[in-house]
Amino acid sequence: MQLLKEKIMTEGKVIGGDILKVDGFLNHQMDIHLFNEMGKEFKRRFQYKEINKILTIESSGIGIACITAQYFDVPVVFAKKHPGANMSKDVYQSQVYSFTKKQYYSIKVSREFVNSHDKILIIDDFLANGNAVKGLVDICNQAGAKVQGVGIAIEKGFQKGGSVIEDLGLRLESLAVIEGFADGKVILR
Ligand code: 5GP
């Protein structure tokens, strides 16, 4: 997706060798014009799939998921990393290894909001090694929900997430794929 690629090239910063920082338009300040175009593009790419719910993970997936959901006219459920005291105890949960924090955390979704009738589109901001998506797929499997596809804003194509999702037999649509980083610069596919 051209607009997203331009944003990455002009505003993205490579940190620590394998992390792309995009706080100016995706992960901290959010460019709503860009999000709107991303939502439209996810709808175009998954238009022939029956989808009644979008599932994402807090926090950076939520904004993209909500704008995308307007095009599908479906609700968004986000998996919680920090369940508050008022969260239901009746949850599906999964363990996820965080690529950026290098530690495991658990994600939880109330059983009330995902069920065996659901046809789910998973949305997230980044795909690295695929652990966040695997956790969301695990929750869908526990609920008996069908995963209809995975939509990612930025896939780091040099990490294994793409093949992890392919091995799960799921359709993956990434709006921008990074081939690699060289001398602190982004190389797009
Ligand atoms: P995975 O679970 O696929 O290994 O990593 C995906 C998750 O880690 C995303 O939800 C995202 O929050 C974070 N992440 C992975 N790589 C990057 C990156 O290069 N930049 C940013 N901003 N987040 C990343």
Side-chain angles (χ1 to χ4, degrees), residues 18-23 26-27 57 60-61 81 96-100 105 124-133 156 159 161 178 181:
D18 59 359
I19 301 258
L20 179 68
K21 194 168 172 179
V22 287
D23 278 9
L26 194 76
N27 287 144
I57 185 165
S60 295
K81 292 178 184 169
V96 172
Y97 184 76
S98 166
F99 178 75
T100 46
Y105 60 94
D124 203 7
D125 60 340
F126 271 88
L127 180 65
N129 289 321
N131 292 312
V133 170
K156 293 190 289 178
Q159 293 182 257
I178 294 171
F181 299 133

Side-chain angles (χ1 to χ4, degrees), residues 55-57 79 81 94-99 105 107 120-141 147 149-155 160-166 168-174:
L55 180 65
T56 187
I57 185 165
K81 292 178 184 169
S94 191
Q95 290 293 112
V96 172
Y97 184 76
S98 166
F99 178 75
Y105 60 94
I107 57 170
I120 302 231
L121 174 62
I122 290 174
I123 293 279
D124 203 7
D125 60 340
F126 271 88
L127 180 65
N129 289 321
N131 292 312
V133 170
K134 263 199 302 187
L136 294 173
V137 170
D138 180 27
I139 282 176
C140 290
N141 290 342
V147 179
V150 178
I152 297 289
I154 305 174
E155 175 184 347
K160 65 177 175 91
S163 56
V164 164
I165 292 172
E166 198 178 303
L168 291 170
L170 298 173
R171 159 120 171 251
L172 169 66
E173 291 288 346
S174 302

Side-chain angles (χ1 to χ4, degrees), residues 74-124:
V74 298
V76 174
V77 175
F78 65 91
K80 296 202 180 200
K81 292 178 184 169
H82 310 288
N86 58 354
M87 187 179 183
S88 158
K89 300 281 176 278
D90 199 11
V91 295
Y92 297 111
Q93 61 177 303
S94 191
Q95 290 293 112
V96 172
Y97 184 76
S98 166
F99 178 75
T100 46
K101 299 201 175 83
K102 313 287 181 214
Q103 63 185 36
Y104 281 92
Y105 60 94
S106 69
I107 57 170
K108 296 185 171 70
V109 173
S110 168
R111 287 173 187 252
E112 205 179 329
F113 302 125
V114 187
N115 63 59
S116 60
H117 302 294
D118 285 333
K119 297 188 173 9
I120 302 231
L121 174 62
I122 290 174
I123 293 279
D124 203 7

Side-chain angles (χ1 to χ4, degrees), residues 48-88:
Y48 300 114
K49 290 275 187 189
E50 192 189 344
I51 285 157
N52 77 326
K53 204 166 276 179
I54 290 178
L55 180 65
T56 187
I57 185 165
E58 68 174 345
S59 52
S60 295
I62 297 175
I64 306 169
C66 286
I67 290 195
T68 302
Q70 291 189 304
Y71 286 95
F72 287 87
D73 197 19
V74 298
V76 174
V77 175
F78 65 91
K80 296 202 180 200
K81 292 178 184 169
H82 310 288
N86 58 354
M87 187 179 183
S88 158

